[in-house]
Amino acid sequence: MATPLKNWLEVQMSQCPWACAALLFIGGITLTRFVLKTLTVISQTFVFSGRNLKKFGANKGSWAVVTGASDGIGREFAIQLAKAGFNVMLVARNKTMLESVAADISTNSASVETKIHLIDLGKKDQAAYDALRTEFADMDIGVLVNNAGKSHDIPTYFVDAPEQEVEDILSVNINALVRVTQAVLPGMTKRKRGLILNLGSFAGMIPSPMLATYSGTKSFVDTFTSALAEEVRAHGIVVQHLNTYFVVSKMSNIRRTSVFVPSPAAYVRSALSKITFSGGAAHTDRPDTLTPYWSHALLDYAVHIVGWKAGFVSYTHRLHKDIRRRALRKLERLAKKE
C-alpha cells in the first residue's frame, strides 16, 4: 500500500475509529453480498440443474396442459413435456395447427397420450371456461404452462392503439391466465403437487413505451405469480414466472437466432432444466421469477446491476420508435406491390 494512503488511513482510524470500523463493516457486507449473488447467478445459469420433472408426475400418467400450444414456444413446451413423459393437452383455438402438434408428439413420443381442447382465449366466454374446468376435473394434471399471449401488432402509442387490440391483450394475457389457473389449481392442491409456469417478459420488468398495455399485463403476470406461489407452496405446488427476452417467434417478428435470441426449442430446454431456480433473477428481490436462458440471465443480471431503470425505459422508447418506423415503411412497400 502506498505510504501516503496508509498514513491517511491511520490518521482517520485514530480520529474516528468507530465510524471507520462501521464503514469497513458495511463495505465488507456489501461486497460479500455482491460476490455471493454473482456466484449464485453463474452457478444456477451454467452449472446446476433444477428440480426433476418426475416430482410433478412425469412418466406416471400425469398430464401437462399447455395454452397457446399451436406454435412457437407453446408448441415446444408441448413436445418437450411429452418427451419428458407427460401426457399432453393442447389448448388453443386453431384445430389444424393443434392437430399438427399432436401428430408430431405421437411420432416422437408414442407412449404418451394427447388431447386437444379448442378455446378462444381472447373471448371472455364463461361457458367455454366452464367446459375447460369440467374436462380438467377428472385429469391428473402435473404441469400447467400458461404460454398463450398477445402483443401489439407494431409498437403504438396507447392513445392510438385500437380498442379491440387492447381488449384482446388484456383478455389473453390476464383473464385467460387467471381463469385457466383457477381451473387447474384445485386438482393440484388436492394431489399436493404441481408445477405452473407463467410466461413473462422483460417488458414486465422494464416499462415499455409504445407497448404500454402489453408491458402492463406482463407486470401483472410477475406480481400475480409471486403472490400465488407463496399461497400454494405449502401444498407442494411450484409456481414460477419465466422472465423472457426475445425468442424467435411470430409474436417477436424475429426469424433468426442470435446470442440473445434463442430458438423456441433452446429456450424451452433451458426453462425445463432450471425449475425452482432463479437464474439471472437470483440477485434481485423478485421471488419465484426465473430467467432461464443463459444470455437472458446475464442480461437480466446486468440490467439490475446498473439499476438505472429510467435510462432503460428511455432506450426502449427509442427502440420502439425505430421499430415502428421500419414496420410502417414495410407496410407501405407491400401496399405498393398490391
Side-chain angles (χ1 to χ4, degrees):
M1 183 182 294
T3 301
L5 178 58
K6 182 178 180 181
N7 292 339
W8 181 83
L9 287 174
E10 290 176 349
V11 170
Q12 297 304 312
M13 288 293 291
S14 63
Q15 293 180 349
C16 52
W18 292 108
C20 290
L23 288 174
L24 288 172
F25 177 76
I26 293 171
I29 292 294
T30 301
L31 178 61
T32 300
R33 288 185 62 194
F34 174 78
V35 171
L36 289 176
K37 289 180 177 182
T38 301
L39 290 175
T40 299
V41 170
I42 292 172
S43 62
Q44 289 191 2
T45 301
F46 296 105
V47 181
F48 299 120
S49 296
R51 186 172 297 182
N52 194 303
L53 292 175
K54 290 182 180 179
K55 299 286 186 179
F56 308 107
N59 294 313
K60 298 177 182 178
S62 294
W63 287 81
V65 175
V66 183
T67 67
S70 57
D71 195 22
I73 293 175
R75 181 188 183 99
E76 275 300 326
F77 265 114
I79 290 171
Q80 294 193 32
L81 285 167
K83 289 180 179 178
F86 288 97
N87 300 316
V88 181
M89 172 175 275
L90 310 169
V91 178
R93 64 182 180 180
N94 191 313
K95 183 179 180 180
T96 301
M97 295 182 73
L98 290 183
E99 288 176 342
S100 173
V101 180
D104 285 349
I105 291 174
S106 297
T107 299
N108 297 301
S109 306
S111 61
V112 304
E113 298 179 52
T114 59
K115 289 184 180 181
I116 290 174
H117 189 98
L118 299 179
I119 182 173
D120 187 347
L121 297 174
K123 295 181 179 179
K124 297 179 181 179
D125 186 338
Q126 182 63 43
Y129 283 109
D130 287 344
L132 191 66
R133 184 188 290 268
T134 298
E135 186 158 9
F136 287 166
D138 297 325
M139 297 173 63
D140 176 356
I141 298 175
V143 177
L144 167 63
V145 182
N146 280 310
N147 166 76
K150 180 173 176 56
S151 186
H152 304 266
D153 291 335
I154 62 173
T156 306
Y157 286 112
F158 179 73
V159 70
D160 299 320
E163 287 188 21
Q164 189 58 55
E165 181 179 76
V166 170
E167 182 64 27
D168 289 345
I169 292 170
L170 294 171
S171 295
V172 175
N173 295 0
I174 295 180
N175 184 67
L177 182 146
V178 171
R179 298 301 299 277
V180 174
T181 303
Q182 278 183 316
V184 168
L185 197 56
M188 288 185 171
T189 303
K190 183 178 180 179
R191 289 184 292 275
K192 299 296 182 181
R193 62 166 168 79
L195 170 65
I196 299 175
L197 300 177
N198 295 329
L199 265 289
S201 169
F202 270 43
M205 178 178 71
I206 300 173
S208 300
M210 303 184 76
L211 297 179
T213 304
Y214 175 77
S215 181
T217 61
K218 290 304 181 179
S219 182
F220 168 86
V221 173
D222 184 353
T223 302
F224 173 77
T225 299
S226 294
L228 180 62
E230 181 62 24
E231 291 181 11
V232 301
R233 208 182 309 277
H235 298 286
I237 301 169
V238 174
V239 187
Q240 285 200 284
H241 161 240
L242 299 182
N243 189 39
T244 311
Y245 194 53
F246 291 121
V247 176
V248 171
S249 68
K250 289 182 179 178
M251 182 182 292
S252 68
N253 287 318
I254 299 175
R255 298 289 179 262
R256 296 181 180 179
T257 61
S258 66
V259 171
F260 288 103
V261 185
S263 67
Y267 177 81
V268 171
R269 274 196 302 273
S270 67
L272 293 179
S273 70
K274 301 295 181 181
I275 300 302
T276 68
F277 281 171
S278 300
H283 68 294
T284 68
D285 295 322
R286 287 180 293 159
D288 305 293
T289 287
L290 165 62
T291 311
Y293 190 70
W294 70 269
S295 62
H296 295 180
L298 296 181
L299 182 60
D300 186 359
Y301 178 80
V303 166
H304 283 83
I305 290 298
V306 173
W308 185 33
K309 182 173 282 191
F312 291 116
V313 172
S314 296
Y315 167 77
T316 302
H317 189 188
R318 293 193 300 272
L319 175 66
H320 288 165
K321 284 193 288 187
D322 182 60
I323 292 173
R324 179 175 176 81
R325 281 194 296 268
R326 287 188 279 114
L328 291 176
R329 285 199 296 267
K330 181 178 180 180
L331 290 174
E332 289 175 3
R333 290 195 301 270
L334 292 174
K336 290 177 181 179
K337 292 180 179 179
E338 294 180 353

